[in-house]
Amino acid sequence: MVIAIDGPAASGKGTLAKRLAAHYRLPHLDTGLLYRAVALTLLDADRDLADRDAAAAAARGLEPAFLADPRLRGAAMGEAASIVSAQAAVRAALLDWQRRFAGAPEGAVLDGRDIGTVVCPDAAVKLFVTASAQERARRRHRELDGRGEAVPYEAVLADIQRRDARDADRDAAPLRVAEDAVVLDTTALDADAAFRAAIDVVDGRGGRGD
C-alpha cells in the first residue's frame, strides 16, 4: 500500500505522514528533505542555488545519510529548497530515488508536492492536505520559535506566500490536487483530528489498520 500525501508548505502533511506510517507500519519519506539536501549541498560548496548544472549534479549524487543533517530543518532551507525544486533537472534526478523508496515490498508513505500526480500516480491512497496561508504561517512560526529561531510572523507568512506561488507556477511538476485525491483542509483541525480524518480515508480505500 502506497499512501501519497501532497500539499503546500506547513499544511501539516509531514506530521500526518509520520503518524500514518507508524499506524500502518510503513516506511516514510519526507521528499521535501531531498530538495533541502540538494540546496544545502550547493550552499556548502558556495554555489549559486540557480546554478542548474550544479543543482542537478548534487541531486544525482545525494546520499541518504545526508537527510539526517539537522541543518535541513532550518527556516532558510525551506526557501532554498523551493528554489532548487523548481528546476526540472533536479526533479528528474530525484524521481527514481523517490520511486525506489515507494517500491518497497510492504509499501510506503511519501509526502511532498507531486507525489500523487508525478511520483506515485498509481498510489492506493492520495491525500491533499492544505490550510489557509495565515494558519500555516502561524504553525511554522510556532515551530521555529520552539527551535529558538526568532523569525517575525510577518516574515514567515511572506515566505509561505512566496513558496506557494513558486510551487503553483513552476513548469516542472507544479503543485496541484490529483484528480483522485481526497482534500483534507486542516485549517480548523488539530493534529489528532487530522489524523483521525486521514485514517478514515485510508481505511475506506482498503488500508490495513490495527
Side-chain angles (χ1 to χ4, degrees):
M1 179 175 64
V2 174
I3 302 175
I5 304 178
D6 292 309
S11 59
K13 64 183 181 296
T15 298
L16 180 60
K18 290 177 185 175
R19 293 186 67 175
L20 288 174
H23 181 77
Y24 293 107
R25 299 182 295 279
L26 295 171
H28 166 242
L29 176 64
D30 174 356
T31 64
L33 285 179
L34 301 177
Y35 297 98
R36 287 174 178 245
V38 170
L40 183 55
T41 299
L42 294 176
L43 294 174
D44 281 349
D46 199 26
R47 302 297 294 266
D48 190 333
L49 292 172
D51 185 332
R52 294 175 182 269
D53 290 339
R60 288 192 295 268
L62 186 63
E63 294 290 339
F66 194 37
L67 301 184
D69 192 315
R71 294 178 296 166
L72 298 179
R73 299 291 183 178
M77 279 301 103
E79 173 68 12
S82 183
I83 293 172
V84 299
S85 69
Q87 300 174 25
V90 171
R91 303 196 76 87
L94 294 175
L95 184 57
D96 285 343
W97 206 105
Q98 296 170 79
R99 284 180 172 168
R100 285 195 300 272
F101 187 92
E106 70 274 33
V109 179
L110 294 87
D111 69 271
R113 302 290 198 281
D114 64 344
I115 309 305
T117 54
V118 175
V119 179
C120 301
D122 297 324
V125 181
K126 298 179 185 178
L127 291 169
F128 189 92
V129 183
T130 189
S132 70
Q134 292 74 20
E135 175 61 18
R136 288 184 284 125
R138 186 188 67 79
R139 294 173 184 171
R140 180 55 54 84
H141 181 261
R142 184 175 58 195
E143 176 188 342
L144 294 173
D145 188 60
R147 293 206 300 257
E149 297 186 45
V151 182
Y153 167 82
E154 292 75 16
V156 177
L157 177 59
D159 175 61
I160 290 284
Q161 292 170 331
R162 280 194 303 271
R163 292 171 65 183
D164 284 353
R166 190 179 292 129
D167 287 341
D169 296 340
R170 67 186 179 218
D171 293 329
L175 175 65
R176 62 182 179 83
V177 183
E179 290 183 1
D180 51 347
V182 175
V183 177
L184 180 58
D185 190 327
T186 67
T187 301
L189 301 179
D190 61 18
D192 289 339
F195 177 62
R196 289 193 298 270
I199 287 293
D200 288 343
V201 173
V202 177
D203 287 351
R205 299 283 178 97
R208 43 180 172 76
D210 293 328

